[in-house]
């Protein structure tokens, strides 16, 4: 948004509406801290039932066929939360275009914001640039940038060329930030006034530009100086109760806390976890006010990052995947992981080939080989999950490997002994041979110890080399636990072969 949009407008009833809305709080200096902490977060809205009407699909087909905009708006408004994404995913590309065409720009924008970013990006990429630009103009600034990231550079530029010049300039400004930083998560729809202005000036601006800022969802205005630097924050409630000619500099809460625009997501999460606030102002390196980062956007970004990490653990390359993506894209993403796993499994299987004669002599070993491998892998993956999570939270760093090793070594000893004793007992009871129980139990115990220690250290090692722990830790650990598990079982069995036959 241009700086001229950083003002407020409303008549008395509109100002009351501002008070009822949830929005940007500022963390104040110590003198005002207690007052701010009394702000309570809004109650969760009652979750609606996600039961779809039996004739919903027929209704949608009739609405699209009839080309009825009013019916399309009512249909979308009555859908339970989350159903819009499912319905749009079931429609063909032609039907999606026809349905979007029935909505006005504002409702189309709300629909896009409710869809997963990948799904919304797919839909926008198929729309004419002019139509997509009109929808973009109705979105919040942070949503605009997020969706443009889903499009190709050519598609993004085509949409920006069709957008309102001021909106396009603002989007380009926000695009320069890392998405997982305060600058990348902030919104620029905020309200700011010069410190030399008076209460009369602010109220006049509220009334003059009421329509322009009707969708702003705020409770605070920010006070800036002639250089646009953040000087203070002011509650709208205090503004209404102040004498008309009083200057903002005399009533603002000075030196509020703020985030530098390069603040990483983790620091934002830590702050909002410790402070029950809705948002904080964001400033650049010159202390110029550039936006506001909201708690809800920080939490949404954290959830998105966790989802991508989960996908990488599961072997889905290239980010989020929906079944509406082209078959070629989905296949390539999955095969890139599976083909690597083939090579790693061949390496692990080579251990078995080395002890083929031992395995033929004691065929019961074949039953326990996958059990030893799988149980050790599960233990190692638990350690990977804890290390990866602690790295994300900033609890540990790669340099803390010795501390991590000590902790996991003790855990590996206990769990390895317990699991080895249990599986060894099963082998003994099944075959009545204590040496078989010793081989299987001992192999599982040692392999569990090794897997836990490696699982804890591999993410730290990869992080130290600037690699993604979530992407590479699993395959590395699986290969190592399989190789060691097979080796331990078969080498122990070979050493005790006379007592096993």
């Amino acid at each position: 948004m241009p700086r001229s949009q950083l003002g407020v407008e409303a008549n008395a009833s509109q100002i009351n509406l501002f008070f009822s809305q949830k929005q940007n709080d500022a963390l104040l200096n110590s003198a005002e801290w207690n007052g701010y902490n009394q702000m309570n977060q809004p109650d969760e809205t009652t979750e609606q039932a996600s039961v779809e009407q039996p004739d919903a699909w027929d209704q949608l087909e009739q609405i699209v066929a009839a080309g009825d905009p009013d019916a399309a708006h009512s249909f979308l408004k009555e859908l339970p939360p989350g159903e819009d994404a499912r319905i749009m995913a079931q429609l063909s590309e032609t039907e999606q275009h026809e349905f979007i065409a029935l909505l006005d720009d504002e409702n189309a924008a709300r629909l896009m914001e409710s869809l997963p970013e990948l799904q919304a990006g797919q839909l926008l990429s198929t729309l004419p640039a002019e139509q997509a630009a009109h929808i973009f103009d109705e979105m919040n600034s942070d949503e605009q940038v997020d969706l443009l990231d889903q499009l190709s550079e050519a598609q993004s530029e085509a949409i920006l060329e069709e957008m309102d010049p001021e909106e396009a300039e603002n989007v380009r400004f926000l695009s320069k930030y890392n998405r997982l930083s305060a600058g990348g998560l902030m919104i620029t729809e905020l309200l700011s006034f010069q410190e030399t202005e008076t209460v009369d000036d602010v109220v006049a601006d509220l009334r003059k530009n009421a329509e322009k800022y009707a969708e702003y969802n705020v409770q605070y205005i920010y006070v800036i100086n002639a250089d646009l630097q953040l000087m203070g924050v002011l509650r709208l409630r205090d503004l209404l109760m102040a004498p008309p000619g009083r200057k903002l500099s005399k009533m603002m809460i000075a030196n509020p806390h703020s985030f530098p625009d390069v603040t990483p997501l983790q620091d934002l999460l830590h702050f909002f976890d410790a402070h029950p606030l809705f948002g904080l102002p964001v400033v650049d390196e010159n202390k110029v006010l550039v936006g506001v980062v909201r708690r809800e956007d920080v939490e949404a970004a954290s959830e998105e990052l966790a989802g991508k990490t989960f996908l990488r653990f599961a072997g889905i390359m290239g980010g989020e995947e929906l079944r509406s993506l082209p078959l070629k894209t989905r296949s390539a993403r999955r095969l890139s992981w599976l083909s690597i796993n083939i090579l790693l499994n061949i390496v692990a299987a080579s251990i078995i080939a080395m002890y083929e004669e031992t395995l033929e002599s004691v065929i019961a070993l074949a039953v326990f080989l996958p059990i030893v491998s799988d149980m050790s892998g599960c233990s190692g993956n638990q350690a990977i999950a804890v290390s990866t999570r602690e790295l994300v939270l900033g609890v540990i760093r790669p340099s803390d490997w010795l501390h991590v090793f000590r902790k996991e070594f003790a855990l590996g000893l206990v769990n390895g002994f317990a699991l080895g004793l249990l599986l060894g007992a099963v082998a003994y009871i099944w075959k009545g041979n204590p040496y078989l129980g010793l081989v299987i139990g001992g192999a599982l115990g040692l392999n569990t110890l090794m897997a836990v220690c490696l699982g804890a250290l591999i993410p730290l090692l990869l992080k130290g080399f600037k690699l993604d722990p979530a992407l590479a830790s699993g395959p590395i650990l699986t290969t190592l636990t399989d190789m060691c598990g097979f080796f331990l079982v078969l080498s122990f069995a070979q050493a005790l072969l006379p007592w096993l036959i």
Side-chain angles (χ1 to χ4, degrees):
M1 292 290 167
R3 193 59 60 174
S4 62
Q5 288 186 322
L6 304 182
V8 192
E9 39 181 289
N11 52 30
S13 62
Q14 288 169 321
I15 294 176
N16 288 333
L17 175 61
F18 282 134
F19 289 147
S20 66
Q21 296 172 320
K22 307 175 291 184
Q23 201 11 330
N24 310 315
D25 290 287
L27 176 59
L28 308 176
N29 57 19
S30 58
E32 292 290 333
W33 176 256
N34 291 333
Y36 265 80
N37 274 346
Q38 292 174 358
M39 296 294 296
N40 294 320
Q41 296 190 32
D43 295 333
E44 295 283 343
T45 56
T46 304
E47 183 176 347
Q48 301 182 23
S50 58
V51 179
E52 185 180 334
Q53 296 297 326
D55 58 344
W57 294 110
D58 292 337
Q59 289 179 3
L60 184 57
E61 290 178 356
Q62 293 171 6
I63 290 170
V64 173
D68 188 344
D70 293 335
H73 172 67
S74 299
F75 178 83
L76 195 61
K77 186 177 181 180
E78 293 171 2
L79 283 177
E83 285 297 293
D84 43 9
R86 190 169 71 90
I87 285 180
M88 294 303 292
Q90 300 296 328
L91 296 179
S92 68
E93 184 174 311
T94 300
E95 291 171 330
Q96 290 178 349
H97 289 178
E98 292 175 349
F99 184 69
I100 291 293
L102 296 177
L103 303 175
D104 57 40
D105 294 336
E106 182 178 353
N107 285 312
R110 300 293 82 79
L111 172 62
M112 293 296 179
E113 291 178 341
S114 69
L115 300 177
E117 287 180 9
L118 180 60
Q119 186 180 7
Q122 285 182 271
L123 180 53
L124 284 168
S125 67
T126 62
L127 297 178
E130 183 178 0
Q131 182 182 4
H134 291 160
I135 295 174
F136 261 74
D137 283 335
E138 299 297 328
M139 293 182 179
N140 289 332
S141 54
D142 58 335
E143 294 286 349
Q144 292 173 334
V145 176
D146 291 343
L147 289 184
L148 281 181
D149 281 346
Q150 301 295 326
L151 307 178
S152 68
E153 185 176 349
Q155 291 171 331
S156 298
E157 280 301 319
I159 293 175
L160 289 172
E161 289 295 328
E162 296 291 339
M163 288 177 63
D164 177 83
E166 293 180 344
E167 289 278 357
E169 179 184 356
N170 186 62
V171 171
R172 288 190 173 96
F173 166 71
L174 291 176
S175 297
K176 72 179 183 180
Y177 289 109
N178 185 323
R179 282 193 64 187
L180 299 181
S181 68
L185 296 172
M186 70 182 180
I187 59 172
T188 54
E189 292 84 0
L190 56 87
L191 315 171
S192 69
F193 295 90
Q194 294 285 333
E195 60 183 340
T196 56
E197 293 185 89
T198 64
V199 173
D200 281 336
D201 296 330
V202 175
V203 173
D205 190 66
L206 292 173
R207 291 171 176 167
K208 179 181 177 181
N209 301 302
E211 182 179 354
K212 189 175 182 181
Y213 297 103
E215 294 186 1
Y216 277 33
N217 188 16
V218 298
Q219 290 181 344
Y220 294 89
I221 64 174
Y222 299 96
V223 183
I224 57 178
N225 61 17
D227 296 323
L228 306 182
Q229 294 174 322
L230 178 65
M231 303 301 294
V233 64
L234 180 63
R235 289 174 289 199
L236 290 179
R237 179 179 61 188
D238 296 336
L239 178 74
L240 293 178
M241 297 179 179
R246 192 173 186 183
K247 288 187 176 182
L248 299 184
S249 60
K250 300 296 184 182
M251 54 188 299
M252 70 181 184
I253 301 167
N255 301 317
H257 285 258
S258 60
F259 289 127
D261 54 5
V262 295
T263 304
L265 175 62
Q266 270 318 120
D267 291 350
L268 300 177
L269 280 171
H270 291 161
F271 180 88
F272 283 116
D273 283 344
H275 305 100
L277 303 175
F278 297 126
L280 274 186
V282 178
V283 298
D284 65 14
E285 59 183 1
N286 297 315
K287 305 301 180 183
V288 172
L289 177 65
V290 292
V292 171
V293 63
R294 301 174 297 183
R295 170 190 291 271
E296 61 185 272
D297 294 328
V298 171
E299 292 175 345
S302 177
E303 292 175 3
E304 180 184 353
L305 183 61
K308 291 181 178 179
T309 300
F310 171 78
L311 289 174
R312 291 197 296 271
F313 268 122
I316 304 297
M317 303 294 102
E320 187 174 6
E321 177 182 321
L322 298 176
R323 290 187 173 87
S324 56
L325 285 173
L327 176 61
K328 180 180 178 181
T329 301
R330 296 175 59 214
S331 176
R333 287 182 173 184
R334 297 193 186 189
L335 283 176
S336 62
W337 169 276
L338 296 174
S339 57
I340 295 174
N341 268 354
I342 288 179
L343 298 176
L344 296 176
N345 283 320
I346 290 175
V347 173
S350 65
I351 302 296
I352 297 178
M354 294 170 55
Y355 291 92
E356 184 176 354
E357 293 182 1
T358 302
L359 189 59
E360 289 178 351
S361 301
V362 188
I363 197 63
L365 296 175
V367 176
F368 291 99
L369 283 176
I371 299 177
V372 171
S373 172
D374 181 69
M375 290 300 300
S376 302
C378 290
S379 298
N381 282 324
Q382 290 176 334
I384 284 179
V386 173
S387 287
T388 302
R389 180 58 178 166
E390 288 187 338
L391 284 170
V392 170
L393 294 175
V395 177
I396 59 173
R397 296 180 180 178
S399 58
D400 299 324
W401 67 270
L402 185 58
H403 168 75
V404 172
F405 175 78
R406 288 171 179 167
K407 292 287 187 180
E408 290 299 325
F409 185 83
L411 180 65
L413 282 177
V414 174
N415 286 1
F417 178 79
L419 294 174
L421 185 63
L422 180 61
L423 189 60
V426 170
Y428 169 68
I429 294 172
W430 179 39
K431 289 295 184 179
N433 189 330
Y435 293 101
L436 179 63
L438 180 62
V439 167
I440 299 302
L444 178 58
L446 289 176
N447 205 37
T448 298
L449 175 61
M450 183 276 301
V452 168
C453 293
L454 287 179
L457 296 179
I458 288 174
L460 275 67
L461 179 65
L462 294 174
K463 186 71 173 179
F465 283 102
K466 309 298 182 183
L467 299 176
D468 185 358
L471 180 60
S473 297
I476 293 174
L477 179 71
T478 299
T479 302
L480 292 175
T481 54
D482 286 352
M483 291 177 63
C484 290
F486 297 159
F487 174 77
L488 289 170
V489 171
L490 295 173
S491 62
F492 286 178
Q494 188 178 52
L496 299 176
L497 190 58
W499 293 274
L500 294 175
I501 300 176

